[in-house]
Amino acid sequence: MKIDRPRVSIIVPVYNVECYIEECVTSIMKQCFKDFEVLLIDDGSTDSSGLIIDRLALMDDRIRAIHQNNAGPSAARNHGLSIASGDFVSFVDGDDRLEPDFLSYMLQMQNESQSPLVLSRNCFTTNDQQQIEHDRVRILSGEKAAAMFLYPDIALGAWNKLYSRSFLINHSILFDERFRAGEGLQFIVKCALNASSVSIGSRKVYHYRTNNSSSATSKPDIEGQGIGALEALSSLENTCGPFTPLVQQAFLWRLWSTYGYCLNQIIKANQKKEHYYLYKNCIKYRRSHAIEQIKAHISIYQKIFAFFVFISPTFVSYLSAKGIKKK
């Protein structure tokens, strides 16, 4: 039965996920909380994804299939936001899936905290199916949450979260369509910096797929992913800075880490000659700022890692390049 004004709008960008999209949508339709709409935004898929979502939309009035020319996941999510009618919004990637209590868990945290942004800091992955034994919910300031996003404390991305739609509208928060890397980090940091509070739970209610070999970020893409991520961070600083000291330190860690990600991409793609000056600049930045990271709010293991980067940025990247993953 179609809901005139749903409580939640679930936005799913869809691009060449024919092997996964039906499982994704099925997991959404199995939610214990039923008052939602599903907006499937086909971003110019070249496989059968578009046909699949058209078929799924015929099965339930709460599902809408929308098609657009390929413009990237940010444009697809923004399209979804422009037509969403729910009080709250959640984003799900087309190759991921939800636990049945995803919405009820997020809405309970929101109801108790009245935070415009709620999330879980944990998720199931392809290689980690162990549930958290004891749930813990924390309510943080937007500043502290932004720092957590910039540090490796929470899995990055717009997914596994619930947003107040009026909050997004009032603060004009959208995805930056110029970038196909780092756009999720941009979005959630902007949300946190504008939020009165952020509620963060621990229970795993989102399944994040790490074995999709066709995902854009599963292969090295120096211009789109490496350079794009650096440019996205620069844009974040220009639009949201100056940061508080806490956020600034976290931002500098993320920038240093992203230079490493870019270096990993160059090495994995074996394009040191083609990107010679960027390659050298990444090495220089990683080494010259490595010792600074010892002061950052990161684990002892990561501080030891930073020390090894100081000794040999290239050797560390040769090892790390083997582990470039989706998203």
Side-chain angles (χ1 to χ4, degrees):
M1 181 177 67
K2 186 174 182 179
I3 300 171
D4 291 333
R5 174 148 185 158
R7 182 70 166 157
V8 182
S9 296
I10 301 176
I11 299 171
V12 184
V14 177
Y15 181 73
N16 289 358
V17 285
E18 62 183 5
C19 296
Y20 311 110
I21 186 59
E22 188 159 0
E23 181 183 17
C24 172
V25 176
T26 298
S27 75
I28 295 172
M29 304 314 294
K30 289 182 177 179
Q31 290 300 294
C32 300
F33 181 86
K34 304 297 184 183
D35 187 2
F36 60 86
E37 66 176 351
V38 184
L39 305 174
L40 305 174
I41 315 297
D42 174 26
D43 186 40
S45 295
T46 58
D47 64 2
S48 62
S49 296
L51 295 174
I52 294 172
I53 67 170
D54 285 340
R55 173 172 57 82
L56 293 171
L58 296 174
M59 298 172 64
D60 195 304
D61 287 341
R62 291 173 295 175
I63 303 174
R64 294 175 60 187
I66 299 98
H67 302 271
Q68 66 178 34
N69 293 329
N70 181 250
S74 292
R77 293 186 182 110
N78 285 342
H79 191 168
L81 284 171
S82 72
I83 60 176
S85 56
D87 296 322
F88 297 94
V89 174
S90 188
F91 301 100
V92 180
D93 282 358
D95 54 351
D96 295 337
R97 59 188 176 90
L98 304 179
E99 282 288 291
D101 61 339
F102 174 85
L103 286 180
S104 57
Y105 179 68
M106 294 290 176
L107 286 166
Q108 180 181 356
M109 282 196 292
Q110 199 285 324
N111 184 57
E112 293 175 353
S113 67
Q114 296 299 303
S115 298
L117 169 59
V118 301
L119 61 131
S120 174
R121 65 179 301 159
N122 301 302
C123 62
F124 293 108
T125 67
T126 305
N127 300 317
D128 179 8
Q129 294 294 306
Q130 185 70 35
Q131 180 59 274
I132 298 298
E133 187 172 345
H134 300 292
D135 188 24
R136 180 191 180 195
V137 178
R138 302 170 62 193
I139 301 175
L140 301 181
S141 67
E143 177 195 26
K144 289 184 178 179
M148 288 184 72
F149 292 152
L150 288 163
Y151 281 127
D153 292 338
I154 296 176
L156 297 180
W159 41 270
N160 202 24
K161 299 169 179 68
L162 187 78
Y163 310 81
S164 162
R165 189 166 69 90
S166 62
F167 165 77
L168 296 177
I169 293 172
N170 291 340
H171 292 281
S172 302
I173 300 176
L174 292 169
F175 291 88
D176 194 326
E177 298 181 14
R178 294 174 298 170
F179 305 114
R180 299 199 182 197
E183 79 289 343
L185 175 63
Q186 265 195 331
F187 186 84
I188 60 177
V189 170
K190 286 180 182 179
C191 286
L193 290 176
N194 284 283
S196 55
S197 65
V198 178
S199 184
I200 303 176
S202 302
R203 180 174 173 78
K204 295 179 180 179
V205 288
Y206 189 101
H207 289 259
Y208 171 78
R209 188 180 299 276
T210 58
N211 63 345
N212 180 2
S213 60
S214 64
S215 171
T217 51
S218 64
K219 304 176 182 67
D221 177 3
I222 298 164
E223 287 80 8
Q225 296 291 322
I227 298 174
L230 289 171
E231 291 176 343
L233 279 177
S234 177
S235 175
L236 176 64
E237 184 177 34
N238 291 335
T239 55
C240 295
F243 300 126
T244 64
L246 176 65
V247 176
Q248 178 67 13
Q249 188 178 57
F251 174 83
L252 291 176
W253 183 91
R254 174 56 57 183
L255 182 61
W256 181 79
S257 178
T258 303
Y259 268 103
Y261 174 71
C262 190
L263 181 59
N264 296 349
Q265 294 244 333
I266 294 172
I267 290 173
K268 188 167 186 178
N270 194 25
Q271 293 188 5
K272 295 189 291 293
K273 292 182 179 178
E274 294 84 344
H275 295 276
Y276 178 79
Y277 291 106
L278 176 62
Y279 173 70
K280 290 296 185 182
N281 190 39
C282 287
I283 293 173
K284 180 180 179 181
Y285 191 93
R286 288 282 281 173
R287 175 175 282 129
S288 62
H289 293 275
I291 299 303
E292 297 172 16
Q293 307 315 315
I294 295 176
K295 301 177 183 177
H297 297 289
I298 54 179
S299 67
I300 294 296
Y301 170 82
Q302 289 161 329
K303 291 181 179 184
I304 294 172
F305 177 84
F307 178 75
F308 280 108
V309 170
F310 172 75
I311 296 173
S312 179
T314 52
F315 178 73
V316 170
S317 283
Y318 272 110
L319 296 178
S320 299
K322 297 179 181 178
I324 293 177
K325 297 289 184 181
K326 170 204 165 205
K327 300 176 191 171

